[in-house]
Short mmCIF file of all heavy atoms in Angstrom, two decimals:
data_model
loop_
_atom_site.label_atom_id
_atom_site.label_comp_id
_atom_site.label_asym_id
_atom_site.label_seq_id
_atom_site.Cartn_x
_atom_site.Cartn_y
_atom_site.Cartn_z
N LYS K 484 -12.63 8.44 -10.25
CA LYS K 484 -14.04 8.40 -9.86
C LYS K 484 -14.89 8.04 -11.07
O LYS K 484 -14.83 8.71 -12.10
CB LYS K 484 -14.49 9.74 -9.28
CG LYS K 484 -13.80 10.12 -7.98
CD LYS K 484 -14.31 11.47 -7.48
CE LYS K 484 -13.62 11.86 -6.19
NZ LYS K 484 -14.07 13.20 -5.72
N VAL K 485 -15.68 6.98 -10.93
CA VAL K 485 -16.63 6.58 -11.98
C VAL K 485 -18.03 6.81 -11.44
O VAL K 485 -18.44 6.20 -10.45
CB VAL K 485 -16.43 5.11 -12.38
CG1 VAL K 485 -17.49 4.70 -13.40
CG2 VAL K 485 -15.03 4.89 -12.95
N LEU K 486 -18.74 7.70 -12.08
CA LEU K 486 -20.04 8.17 -11.60
C LEU K 486 -21.17 7.55 -12.42
O LEU K 486 -21.14 7.59 -13.66
CB LEU K 486 -20.07 9.69 -11.69
CG LEU K 486 -21.20 10.45 -11.01
CD1 LEU K 486 -21.10 10.30 -9.50
CD2 LEU K 486 -21.13 11.93 -11.40
N ILE K 487 -22.17 6.98 -11.75
CA ILE K 487 -23.34 6.42 -12.44
C ILE K 487 -24.48 7.43 -12.32
O ILE K 487 -24.91 7.76 -11.21
CB ILE K 487 -23.77 5.08 -11.82
CG1 ILE K 487 -22.60 4.10 -11.78
CG2 ILE K 487 -24.93 4.48 -12.62
CD1 ILE K 487 -22.92 2.79 -11.09
N ILE K 488 -24.96 7.93 -13.46
CA ILE K 488 -26.04 8.91 -13.45
C ILE K 488 -27.15 8.47 -14.39
O ILE K 488 -26.96 7.62 -15.26
CB ILE K 488 -25.54 10.33 -13.83
CG1 ILE K 488 -25.07 10.36 -15.29
CG2 ILE K 488 -24.45 10.80 -12.90
CD1 ILE K 488 -24.78 11.75 -15.80
N LEU K 559 -20.39 16.36 -8.40
CA LEU K 559 -19.61 15.15 -8.66
C LEU K 559 -19.26 14.99 -10.14
O LEU K 559 -18.19 14.50 -10.48
CB LEU K 559 -20.36 13.91 -8.17
CG LEU K 559 -20.50 13.74 -6.66
CD1 LEU K 559 -21.50 12.64 -6.33
CD2 LEU K 559 -19.15 13.43 -6.03
N ILE K 560 -20.18 15.40 -11.00
CA ILE K 560 -19.96 15.29 -12.44
C ILE K 560 -18.69 16.04 -12.85
O ILE K 560 -17.90 15.57 -13.67
CB ILE K 560 -21.18 15.81 -13.23
CG1 ILE K 560 -22.32 14.78 -13.14
CG2 ILE K 560 -20.83 16.10 -14.69
CD1 ILE K 560 -23.64 15.27 -13.70
N ASN K 561 -18.46 17.20 -12.24
CA ASN K 561 -17.31 18.03 -12.60
C ASN K 561 -15.98 17.39 -12.20
O ASN K 561 -14.94 17.69 -12.79
CB ASN K 561 -17.43 19.41 -11.94
CG ASN K 561 -18.59 20.21 -12.49
OD1 ASN K 561 -18.93 20.09 -13.67
ND2 ASN K 561 -19.22 21.02 -11.66
N ALA K 563 -15.57 13.93 -11.89
CA ALA K 563 -15.55 12.52 -12.28
C ALA K 563 -14.54 12.26 -13.39
O ALA K 563 -14.39 13.05 -14.32
CB ALA K 563 -16.93 12.07 -12.72
N THR K 564 -13.84 11.14 -13.28
CA THR K 564 -12.95 10.69 -14.35
C THR K 564 -13.77 10.14 -15.51
O THR K 564 -13.47 10.38 -16.68
CB THR K 564 -12.00 9.59 -13.83
OG1 THR K 564 -11.35 10.04 -12.65
CG2 THR K 564 -10.98 9.21 -14.88
N LEU K 565 -14.81 9.39 -15.17
CA LEU K 565 -15.65 8.74 -16.17
C LEU K 565 -17.08 8.70 -15.67
O LEU K 565 -17.32 8.55 -14.47
CB LEU K 565 -15.15 7.32 -16.44
CG LEU K 565 -15.88 6.47 -17.48
CD1 LEU K 565 -15.74 7.08 -18.87
CD2 LEU K 565 -15.34 5.04 -17.47
N ILE K 566 -18.04 8.85 -16.59
CA ILE K 566 -19.46 8.85 -16.23
C ILE K 566 -20.16 7.71 -16.97
O ILE K 566 -19.95 7.52 -18.18
CB ILE K 566 -20.13 10.20 -16.60
CG1 ILE K 566 -19.50 11.34 -15.78
CG2 ILE K 566 -21.63 10.15 -16.37
CD1 ILE K 566 -19.91 12.72 -16.25
N LEU K 567 -20.98 6.95 -16.23
CA LEU K 567 -21.86 5.97 -16.86
C LEU K 567 -23.24 6.61 -16.95
O LEU K 567 -23.91 6.82 -15.94
CB LEU K 567 -21.93 4.69 -16.03
CG LEU K 567 -20.61 3.97 -15.70
CD1 LEU K 567 -20.91 2.64 -15.00
CD2 LEU K 567 -19.76 3.74 -16.93
N GLU K 568 -23.65 6.94 -18.15
CA GLU K 568 -24.97 7.54 -18.37
C GLU K 568 -25.95 6.40 -18.67
O GLU K 568 -25.84 5.74 -19.71
CB GLU K 568 -24.95 8.54 -19.51
CG GLU K 568 -24.21 9.82 -19.18
CD GLU K 568 -24.45 10.90 -20.22
OE1 GLU K 568 -25.49 11.59 -20.14
OE2 GLU K 568 -23.63 11.04 -21.13
N VAL K 569 -26.89 6.20 -17.78
CA VAL K 569 -27.76 5.04 -17.86
C VAL K 569 -29.19 5.44 -18.22
O VAL K 569 -29.74 6.41 -17.67
CB VAL K 569 -27.77 4.27 -16.52
CG1 VAL K 569 -28.63 3.01 -16.61
CG2 VAL K 569 -26.34 3.90 -16.11
N HIS K 579 -22.67 13.95 -21.83
CA HIS K 579 -21.31 14.12 -21.33
C HIS K 579 -20.30 13.44 -22.25
O HIS K 579 -20.47 12.29 -22.65
CB HIS K 579 -21.19 13.56 -19.91
CG HIS K 579 -22.16 14.22 -18.97
ND1 HIS K 579 -21.91 15.42 -18.37
CD2 HIS K 579 -23.40 13.83 -18.54
CE1 HIS K 579 -22.94 15.75 -17.61
NE2 HIS K 579 -23.86 14.80 -17.69
N TYR K 580 -19.20 14.17 -22.54
CA TYR K 580 -18.20 13.64 -23.47
C TYR K 580 -17.40 12.50 -22.85
O TYR K 580 -17.01 11.55 -23.52
CB TYR K 580 -17.25 14.77 -23.92
CG TYR K 580 -16.24 15.17 -22.88
CD1 TYR K 580 -14.96 14.61 -22.86
CD2 TYR K 580 -16.55 16.11 -21.89
CE1 TYR K 580 -14.03 14.96 -21.91
CE2 TYR K 580 -15.63 16.46 -20.93
CZ TYR K 580 -14.37 15.89 -20.94
OH TYR K 580 -13.46 16.24 -19.98
N ASN K 581 -17.12 12.57 -21.53
CA ASN K 581 -16.33 11.54 -20.86
C ASN K 581 -17.25 10.47 -20.28
O ASN K 581 -17.25 10.21 -19.08
CB ASN K 581 -15.45 12.15 -19.77
CG ASN K 581 -16.24 12.89 -18.70
OD1 ASN K 581 -17.31 13.42 -18.99
ND2 ASN K 581 -15.74 12.91 -17.48
N SER K 582 -18.07 9.89 -21.13
CA SER K 582 -19.07 8.96 -20.62
C SER K 582 -19.14 7.68 -21.43
O SER K 582 -18.74 7.63 -22.60
CB SER K 582 -20.45 9.63 -20.61
OG SER K 582 -20.93 9.78 -21.93
N ILE K 583 -19.64 6.63 -20.76
CA ILE K 583 -20.03 5.39 -21.42
C ILE K 583 -21.56 5.37 -21.42
O ILE K 583 -22.18 5.55 -20.37
CB ILE K 583 -19.47 4.16 -20.69
CG1 ILE K 583 -17.95 4.14 -20.77
CG2 ILE K 583 -20.05 2.88 -21.28
CD1 ILE K 583 -17.31 3.01 -19.98
N LYS K 584 -22.14 5.18 -22.59
CA LYS K 584 -23.59 5.21 -22.73
C LYS K 584 -24.15 3.82 -22.49
O LYS K 584 -23.77 2.87 -23.18
CB LYS K 584 -23.96 5.74 -24.11
CG LYS K 584 -23.38 7.13 -24.38
CD LYS K 584 -23.40 7.47 -25.85
CE LYS K 584 -22.79 8.85 -26.10
NZ LYS K 584 -21.38 8.94 -25.65
N VAL K 585 -25.03 3.69 -21.50
CA VAL K 585 -25.54 2.39 -21.08
C VAL K 585 -27.06 2.33 -21.25
O VAL K 585 -27.78 3.17 -20.70
CB VAL K 585 -25.17 2.10 -19.60
CG1 VAL K 585 -25.69 0.72 -19.18
CG2 VAL K 585 -23.67 2.20 -19.40
N MET K 626 -7.39 6.75 -21.32
CA MET K 626 -7.22 8.12 -20.85
C MET K 626 -5.80 8.36 -20.34
O MET K 626 -5.28 9.47 -20.40
CB MET K 626 -8.21 8.43 -19.72
CG MET K 626 -9.65 8.52 -20.15
SD MET K 626 -10.72 8.83 -18.71
CE MET K 626 -12.32 8.95 -19.50
#
Side-chain angles (χ1 to χ4, degrees):
K484 295 180 180 178
V485 176
L486 192 66
I487 306 176
I488 66 171
L559 290 169
I560 286 171
N561 294 327
T564 308
L565 181 65
I566 297 170
L567 305 186
E568 289 192 83
V569 183
H579 303 278
Y580 76 94
N581 59 330
S582 71
I583 294 175
K584 302 163 181 60
V585 181
M626 290 178 178

